[in-house]
Amino acid sequence: MPAAKSRIYPPVQRYEIILYVLEQIRLIRSHICYTGAVPKITFLPQNVTVEFDPETMPYADHGKPLSILDIALNNGVQLEHACGGFCACTTCHVVVKEGREHLSEMDDEEADRLDMAADLQLHSRLGCQAVYEGNGDIVVEIPAWNRNYVSEGGGSILGEAIPAGKRD
């Protein structure tokens, strides 16, 4: 019996395979993790739903505590945040489709910053500033121009401003 040939994939193809596997894991995780016992947030168009416990979710310096950005990154959902979540850019721009009543009111600083966002809509918010304050579910859409998955190797609206280690 001849020895099995091992396949050596070119770097780009290996990267695409890894991204595919990560996406499949994320999809499986989103379906397994939801029990309905605690609030959930759904991220469109990926249709990834995560649940979170506002009482126990750790704060990891992703925008304000319990912000959409904080919830997303704590649950493995990539949301661009070039300024680190300090309301100094618009890369974490999301559109709240459902559950606006469960989020904090927009303050003047966020409103001023959102004026500079691409594709501004009536229910646009900055993920780093929109804080969960309710007891219900939320659905947000990450605009197409912002779905770039920098940490997973995708392109970015920041172009060359991204450190080389994050672009590779």
Side-chain angles (χ1 to χ4, degrees):
M1 175 180 261
K5 277 187 166 178
S6 64
R7 290 179 118 173
I8 300 175
Y9 294 100
V12 171
Q13 192 173 8
R14 279 186 294 204
Y15 205 69
E16 290 171 356
I17 292 169
I18 291 169
L19 290 178
Y20 175 79
V21 169
L22 288 173
E23 181 63 24
Q24 296 306 307
I25 291 169
R26 206 177 281 127
L27 288 172
I28 291 167
R29 183 173 175 242
S30 71
H31 293 290
I32 292 172
C33 291
Y34 182 63
T35 65
V38 294
K40 67 180 178 182
I41 184 167
T42 300
F43 296 89
L44 301 175
Q46 300 93 329
N47 203 29
V48 173
T49 300
V50 297
E51 64 178 20
F52 59 98
D53 184 350
E55 303 296 321
T56 61
M57 190 176 86
Y59 174 56
D61 295 324
H62 301 127
K64 293 180 177 179
L66 286 178
S67 66
I68 292 173
L69 177 64
D70 192 36
I71 294 166
L73 297 181
N74 266 307
N75 288 282
V77 177
Q78 180 61 35
L79 179 58
E80 177 87 60
H81 54 291
C83 72
F86 293 104
C87 196
C89 70
T90 61
T91 57
C92 65
H93 172 215
V94 296
V95 179
V96 182
K97 298 293 189 178
E98 295 176 24
R100 289 178 288 284
E101 66 276 10
H102 304 302
L103 295 172
S104 60
E105 293 290 321
M106 185 183 308
D107 62 22
D108 290 341
E109 183 181 12
E110 180 183 1
D112 290 344
R113 184 62 59 189
L114 265 174
D115 281 342
M116 296 181 267
D119 193 27
L120 185 63
Q121 297 180 28
L122 180 61
H123 300 295
S124 290
R125 294 293 303 267
L126 293 180
C128 67
Q129 301 298 300
V131 175
Y132 181 81
E133 293 182 340
N135 58 358
D137 300 336
I138 302 170
V139 177
V140 298
E141 180 177 14
I142 301 172
W145 57 268
N146 197 17
R147 292 189 303 266
N148 51 51
Y149 308 104
V150 172
S151 68
E152 294 181 9
S156 174
I157 61 173
L158 302 175
E160 296 300 311
I162 299 172
K166 293 254 184 184
R167 278 185 275 144
D168 298 334

